[in-house]
Amino acid sequence: MEEERSFSDICGGRLALQRRYYSPSCREFCLSCPRLSLRSLTAVTCTVWLAAYGLFTLCENSMILSAAIFITLLGLLGYLHFVKIDQETLLIIDSLGIQMTSSYASGKESTTFIEMSKVKDVVINEAIYMKVIYYLCILLKDPVEPQGISQVVPVFQSAKPRLDCLIEVYRSCQEILAHQKATSTSPPSDGHSPRTSMDAVDFRAIEQVTVNLIYCMMLNKVFLCILVFPL
């Protein structure tokens, strides 16, 4: 069974969430981001080339125009191949684990797989970036300390959906985790209400991933500024 709903990201952009229910123990979530706008691409290119032409008229150096074309093309290819993500997918199977896939605008795909035996819980955490934002993250077990957390893995870093979208994914993940715990020797989880970092044991790991998330958002904006004004 497949369902599709529309949500918004933290900036107000439109997101499309596709939910695929293969079985009670296997579900997939595909979050599609807005594609690169041709109008924005044209505006950036014209701005860079006009600025380069203005410098050319002042300096009368043809290398400026060549450098502007080279930097624009190189920046665009780098943006499409390393930054712009069109779709993020979360596949969770209670007997295997969790797979996260990011599909870039250039066609490149990046996949991360986490074994279910390493998953401690899936929670909704909050961070402050000009305003309060929420993000879904996976807590990994500490092999040394059973009650501790070794790592926090954020989900949907590029799309940055709002809380209502995260709750939809969170509830389904909790149902899978509860089904997995019910079929194993471990006791089932308590309830399915959304939790934040207050439920975690190791706050340093959550604090670190929050800082990294904010750093990635700032780095993305800096990259766009360099792409618009390379000279």
Side-chain angles (χ1 to χ4, degrees), residues 17 29-31 88-90 100 135-136 154-161 165-166 169 213:
L17 177 64
F29 305 91
C30 297
L31 197 59
E88 292 182 278
T89 304
L90 177 67
M100 297 175 293
Y135 62 93
L136 193 71
V155 184
F156 301 137
Q157 295 185 75
S158 177
K160 302 179 183 65
C165 179
L166 295 178
V169 181
L213 181 64

Side-chain angles (χ1 to χ4, degrees), residues 75-85 104-109:
L76 179 61
L77 292 177
Y79 179 74
L80 295 178
H81 194 70
F82 297 106
V83 180
K84 184 65 176 73
I85 296 178
Y104 291 81
S106 63
K108 184 187 73 170
E109 289 190 353

